Amino acid sequence: MTSTVPALGTRTAEGSALQAVLLDMDGTLVDTEGFWWDVEVEVFAALGHALDDSWRHVVVGGPMTRSAGFLIEATGADISLAELTVRLNQGFEDRIDQALPLMPGAARLLAELYEYEVPTALVSASHRRIIDRVLTSLGSQHFALSVAGDEVRRTKPHPDPYLVAAAGLGVDPARCAVVEDTATGVAAAEAAGCHVVAVPSVAPITPAERRTVVNSLEQVDLAFLRGLITGR
């Protein structure tokens, strides 16, 4: 976990109950959920197995161990979880080295949060080696802290990653806004007690108490996130 935690006594906190914004990575800030599936398809094809497209909804947003484990069991492929994890991470890195498209509205939102000194964390189920590569493109200055899936005992859908991020920033999870794109990530954020903005990437997500669903990050700005906490 990386951490450079700013003081909370900034203009961000003035007149607002919002203490921090916690952001997922794949499918939320960077358009990479399709990359993972493409890599999974290629790796299993090399092993002599075709993946059923319906499985994409099962593996999206989950930790590597869960997604890879499911695919091994579903296909009966002769490969260990450890070896498969290495192959998937390497395949993903090869793709993001070629291109790393941002989701619409992501750059603008990160710039606004940075301008107004909002404590912001990147919270992902991806491994640290992947997060550090992506941070190079996103701009590490936009994040006071980042939490990787291989750095917590239990990753999403458990609340641990978001609880760790809130603790690292010294904020109350109930006064944090989380932005997620999958049901797995939403479940983690809600279990941590955060307010959630869901921007579905692969599978639909329904609105619920303390959960707002939007079509794009282009609909999300600082005023919108503050409103989640104040109820305005």
Side-chain angles (χ1 to χ4, degrees):
M1 181 173 66
T2 60
S3 176
T4 308
V5 183
L8 292 179
T10 67
R11 54 183 168 150
T12 300
E14 296 173 4
S16 171
L18 177 69
Q19 289 187 337
V21 177
L22 315 177
L23 298 149
D24 174 54
M25 187 176 76
D26 294 301
T28 298
L29 292 177
V30 289
D31 191 6
T32 50
E33 287 293 7
F35 285 14
W36 282 113
W37 179 247
D38 290 345
V39 169
E40 288 159 350
V41 168
E42 289 184 6
V43 168
F44 277 89
L47 295 170
H49 298 275
L51 300 188
D52 190 311
D53 196 59
S54 65
W55 296 343
R56 183 174 183 178
H57 296 282
V58 179
V59 301
V60 67
M64 177 75 74
T65 51
R66 190 200 73 184
S67 301
F70 168 83
L71 293 174
I72 290 173
E73 183 176 354
T75 60
D78 183 19
I79 188 171
S80 70
L81 182 60
E83 182 182 354
L84 179 58
T85 297
V86 170
R87 292 196 191 186
L88 293 177
N89 275 325
Q90 186 58 59
F92 184 79
E93 286 185 43
D94 291 343
R95 271 175 167 70
I96 63 176
D97 282 345
Q98 298 172 31
L100 185 61
L102 300 187
M103 297 299 289
R108 188 261 319 146
L109 177 59
L110 289 176
E112 183 180 16
L113 295 175
Y114 182 72
E115 178 185 358
Y116 286 92
E117 301 177 10
V118 180
T120 303
L122 186 66
V123 183
S124 176
S126 290
H127 290 185
R128 170 55 59 188
R129 59 184 282 188
I130 298 295
I131 288 181
D132 286 345
R133 297 286 280 273
V134 174
L135 277 172
T136 301
S137 295
L138 286 176
S140 59
Q141 74 276 9
H142 292 119
F143 304 96
L145 176 145
S146 61
V147 179
D150 57 341
E151 295 174 337
V152 290
R153 185 172 66 85
R154 303 183 306 171
T155 189
K156 304 174 187 180
H158 299 286
D160 304 36
Y162 284 110
L163 293 175
V164 168
L169 292 174
V171 298
D172 179 359
R175 293 175 66 183
C176 292
V178 169
V179 186
E180 274 280 359
D181 72 303
T182 67
T184 299
V186 167
E190 290 179 341
C194 305
H195 293 263
V196 181
V197 180
V199 192
S201 59
V202 175
I205 298 172
T206 57
E209 185 179 359
R210 296 171 67 91
R211 181 198 309 166
T212 303
V213 180
V214 298
N215 295 323
S216 167
L217 282 183
E218 293 180 316
Q219 298 172 248
V220 180
D221 58 15
L222 180 53
F224 179 95
L225 295 173
R226 283 175 169 163
L228 295 178
I229 313 299
T230 62
R232 295 177 182 173

